Amino acid sequence: MAVQYSRGLHEVAEGCWAWFEPPGSWGLSNSGLVKIGAELLVIDTQNDVGRARDLRGAAVEIGGEDAITTVVNTHNDGDHWFGNMFFEDARIIATTAAANAMRTLPIDPRRLAEVGRAGTALQRWSHWRAEIFDYECWRPVFPAETFDGTLKLADGAVTLHEVGPAHTLGDAIVHVPDANVVFSGDILFHRATPIVWAGPVSNYVAACDAVLALEPAVVVPGHGPVATADGVRETRNYLVHLLEHTTRCVAAGVPPEQAYRRFDPGEYRLWPHASRAFQSILAIYAEFRPELVSLSWEESMEIVLADDAS
Ligand SMILES: [Zn+2]
């Protein structure tokens, strides 16, 4: 079925819905709902108070006030779990690695406007985020239940597969076999440039392969419109291309910033957020030549954001 990429809830298969937040750029993520009997599973809880409240409202309209029994956070990026406070009465699950990373809370969203020095692209970015996301009365609610490897829910009606470290330290995907749907979290940024916070990139490629091995008819990405396996293949191809280029640069002793300036994304050059490649290239250098990586998070994000024309 054709699924419009517009804000709100859209049925993508029998008993499966995607919640979209176009245009899917920084922090504007998707969520999912799966109906299992009379119960509802929520996948990722949105980035802020307003969006989480809207998502909960839409879920209650489908299943009723008591239907939301289980929540899965696919990884530790805030746009996938900051809304947990609206689902506190449910069983909230993440991988052990993701749950541990959440507790470090590298950026407290209530203090977002303080991130970045005056006049920097990072400061413009954090101010933009502080304006469009609402963290008034926000508080962190961490997953109470963790798993490693795989976890079956509702007698196998849903299976969680840990595929990280890839995009982040503890990525998971959610498979609904009867509906032939995978909720991929940020293993897929559909029709946009992926970003590798953790890596290794080879494991991110393997995570794409893990999604493809399930032969899904529908993939709900972490950001962007609904996809099929083709969207996952494109991201896989991009990552392999990036890895090949960067591996050559690593072998030649080229500094990471030059490796980034020389990178041609080829057929993927029109994807938004092309400059995310810099962060991903740094992740590859951190794996093979860590002595060549000297930038702080603020310094590397400054390059990513200053070049981000999207
Ligand atoms: Zn995300």
Side-chain angles (χ1 to χ4, degrees), residues 67-91:
I68 307 164
T69 53
T70 314
V71 169
V72 176
N73 297 134
T74 56
H75 61 291
N76 68 284
D77 285 348
D79 49 334
H80 300 264
W81 71 273
F82 279 171
N84 282 2
M85 63 185 281
F86 282 88
F87 300 90
E88 224 170 347
D89 45 351
R91 172 187 177 197

Side-chain angles (χ1 to χ4, degrees), residues 27-30 75 77 79-80 167 185-186 189 222-223:
L28 291 165
S29 58
N30 298 335
H75 61 291
D77 285 348
D79 49 334
H80 300 264
H167 166 66
D186 284 359
F189 290 77
H223 297 255

Side-chain angles (χ1 to χ4, degrees), residues 26 107 111-130 197 296-308:
W26 300 100
I107 297 180
R111 308 185 63 172
L112 200 51
E114 298 167 26
V115 173
R117 283 182 296 105
T120 59
L122 180 60
Q123 191 195 52
R124 284 196 297 281
W125 179 77
S126 58
H127 283 187
W128 168 74
R129 289 184 72 135
W197 297 117
S296 66
W297 179 83
E298 281 81 4
E299 289 166 333
S300 58
M301 280 303 281
E302 185 61 24
I303 290 173
V304 171
L305 295 170
D307 286 358
D308 191 352

Side-chain angles (χ1 to χ4, degrees), residues 24-26 189 192-195 272-281 304:
S25 60
W26 300 100
F189 290 77
T193 310
I195 189 163
H273 313 300
S275 60
R276 287 175 176 171
F278 183 53
Q279 169 56 38
S280 304
I281 285 169
V304 171

Side-chain angles (χ1 to χ4, degrees), residues 137-199:
C137 307
W138 180 83
R139 64 193 159 77
V141 171
F142 300 106
E145 187 177 335
T146 58
F147 75 101
D148 304 288
T150 60
L151 179 67
K152 285 188 188 303
L153 302 173
D155 295 324
V158 173
T159 306
L160 315 183
H161 297 268
E162 182 175 26
V163 295
H167 166 66
T168 61
L169 289 170
D171 306 287
I173 59 171
V174 180
H175 183 215
V176 189
D178 286 350
N180 213 4
V181 174
V182 169
F183 294 86
S184 68
D186 284 359
I187 296 307
L188 181 61
F189 290 77
H190 190 208
R191 303 211 175 103
T193 310
I195 189 163
V196 185
W197 297 117

